Amino acid sequence: MRVSLLTPLAALVGLVGVIVVWMRLSAARRAREVCDALGLDPAPRSRLVLDIVPVVAVSALVALAAAQPVVSRLAEQSGREAVEVIVVLDITRSMDARRARSEPSRLDRARAMAKEARVSLQELRVGLASVTDRVLPHLFPTLGSNAFAAVADRAVDIERPPPDRRSRRATALLALGDLGRLAFYRQSTTRRLAVVFTDGETLPIDLATLRQRLKDGRVTTLFVHVWRPDEVLFSPTGELDESYKPDPTSASAVRRAAGAVDGLVFADGEGAELAAAVRQIAGTGPAEVQGRELRSTQLAPHLTAIAFVPLVFLLYRRNR
């Protein structure tokens, strides 16, 4: 186990507490001098201690929280051997549509939902790919949830890489057939699943060919329709792209593709339902230890919560 500080210099905020303690000690010394001069009994030292200790505790805890300590440890990974899932994210231009420039795009929502589902599928190997007019692997199925999140955040973005064709629509869901033809899964994998996040604004699909390719590869496919009717596209300079109009037939296109491959369709935001469906299709089986993964826990939220205890006590004494 290892403890590291992400922002160690931020701990200097604790110096505020040092200043407060110094001021309180100075005030107590002056008060004692005045009492001695007037022949009065000074305040008991216990009162000074009860004033200083909460301040020191709050300052120390806030300083530690500001430094963002992280505990890292190597944990064993147990997983199913015969099941693999590949998450496929549509990265065409239309997936950058959003209601407003300050709101998350379709790809942002798809990425967040995919990571949420990945967290709840710890026992399964999950990979990541992107689709435009072709499917490209970014991460082959692995038990490492950290690796999945890192690749999703850093390696997957709009038109990275760009599609081969530069037409108005670049999504070609027929390309999903490559999941059944190419080596996206290990040969020993008996249950192969694909979860496709797309807005459904696709080129015409040869459903029979798509069905046959996925059937030959023994791939069970689920679709997530990430789309809203009032979303628009913005140019890199932030101007509205007047040439883009959301396709109201996108939902039916996704349903037709899912129906052709005997798959299911989920709506934007149905992450829990998606994970439950994947788990049901994957079935049950023994999980074996297959390696170790570095896992990290941030302590800042816990330290901040603990800091409220002496703070509440301090405010209670002051209000009395």
Side-chain angles (χ1 to χ4, degrees), residues 136-254:
L136 293 177
H138 295 277
L139 177 70
F140 286 103
T142 175
L143 291 174
S145 56
N146 291 340
F148 183 91
V151 172
D153 289 335
R154 302 174 187 175
V156 177
D157 206 350
I158 298 297
E159 295 192 340
R160 288 179 52 189
D164 287 338
R165 60 172 65 90
R166 305 304 299 177
S167 60
R168 184 180 297 270
R169 290 189 180 183
T171 305
L173 293 183
L174 179 60
L176 296 174
D178 289 344
L179 295 172
R181 297 194 305 165
L182 305 180
F184 283 85
Y185 304 89
R186 295 178 301 173
Q187 291 185 351
S188 60
T189 302
T190 56
R191 295 190 181 182
R192 305 175 178 183
L193 289 84
V195 181
V196 183
F197 291 81
T198 179
D199 57 12
E201 298 183 354
T202 176
L203 294 167
I205 310 170
D206 184 345
L207 297 178
T209 301
L210 176 63
R211 177 185 177 89
Q212 190 60 48
R213 290 178 178 177
L214 292 176
K215 182 179 179 180
D216 291 344
R218 297 176 285 115
V219 180
T220 301
T221 310
L222 307 178
F223 291 86
V224 181
H225 188 216
V226 187
W227 185 89
R228 292 171 181 166
D230 55 350
E231 292 178 315
V232 296
L233 278 177
F234 295 94
S235 67
T237 60
E239 298 177 353
L240 185 65
D241 185 352
E242 300 287 353
S243 64
Y244 172 75
K245 302 295 180 184
D247 184 1
T249 66
S250 63
S252 60
V254 174

Side-chain angles (χ1 to χ4, degrees), residues 23-294:
M23 294 175 61
R24 181 66 182 89
L25 289 174
S26 298
R29 185 178 63 254
R30 290 194 300 269
R32 183 173 294 275
E33 292 174 353
V34 172
C35 290
D36 290 343
L38 298 177
L40 302 174
D41 293 331
R45 292 186 181 274
S46 60
R47 179 178 301 177
L48 179 62
V49 173
L50 291 176
D51 286 343
I52 291 178
V53 170
V55 174
V56 172
V58 171
S59 301
L61 290 169
V62 170
L64 281 174
Q68 299 188 69
V70 175
V71 177
S72 303
R73 61 185 178 87
L74 286 175
E76 290 185 344
Q77 288 183 297
S78 298
R80 303 269 303 280
E81 186 65 27
V83 182
E84 290 185 338
V85 182
I86 291 183
V87 173
V88 183
L89 297 177
D90 185 345
I91 59 169
T92 52
R93 179 81 175 100
S94 61
M95 286 293 286
D96 198 32
R98 63 193 76 198
R99 287 175 173 172
R101 281 177 292 183
S102 60
E103 293 196 9
S105 66
R106 293 172 181 171
L107 180 58
D108 291 334
R109 301 197 307 273
R111 185 188 289 115
M113 187 173 170
K115 291 193 295 183
E116 175 188 345
R118 177 66 187 98
V119 170
S120 60
L121 298 171
Q122 293 288 339
E123 74 280 7
L124 301 181
R125 293 179 176 271
V126 182
L128 187 61
S130 63
V131 62
T132 51
D133 55 359
R134 62 193 186 278
V135 180
L136 293 177
H138 295 277
L139 177 70
F140 286 103
T142 175
L143 291 174
S145 56
N146 291 340
F148 183 91
V151 172
D153 289 335
R154 302 174 187 175
V156 177
D157 206 350
I158 298 297
E159 295 192 340
R160 288 179 52 189
D164 287 338
R165 60 172 65 90
R166 305 304 299 177
S167 60
R168 184 180 297 270
R169 290 189 180 183
T171 305
L173 293 183
L174 179 60
L176 296 174
D178 289 344
L179 295 172
R181 297 194 305 165
L182 305 180
F184 283 85
Y185 304 89
R186 295 178 301 173
Q187 291 185 351
S188 60
T189 302
T190 56
R191 295 190 181 182
R192 305 175 178 183
L193 289 84
V195 181
V196 183
F197 291 81
T198 179
D199 57 12
E201 298 183 354
T202 176
L203 294 167
I205 310 170
D206 184 345
L207 297 178
T209 301
L210 176 63
R211 177 185 177 89
Q212 190 60 48
R213 290 178 178 177
L214 292 176
K215 182 179 179 180
D216 291 344
R218 297 176 285 115
V219 180
T220 301
T221 310
L222 307 178
F223 291 86
V224 181
H225 188 216
V226 187
W227 185 89
R228 292 171 181 166
D230 55 350
E231 292 178 315
V232 296
L233 278 177
F234 295 94
S235 67
T237 60
E239 298 177 353
L240 185 65
D241 185 352
E242 300 287 353
S243 64
Y244 172 75
K245 302 295 180 184
D247 184 1
T249 66
S250 63
S252 60
V254 174
R255 287 195 298 269
R256 287 196 301 271
V261 299
D262 298 325
L264 300 174
V265 179
F266 298 87
D268 189 354
E270 293 182 340
E273 293 82 354
L274 172 65
V278 171
R279 196 175 293 108
Q280 181 178 5
I281 295 172
T284 58
E288 301 176 356
V289 177
Q290 300 182 19
R292 294 189 298 175
E293 181 185 33
L294 183 65

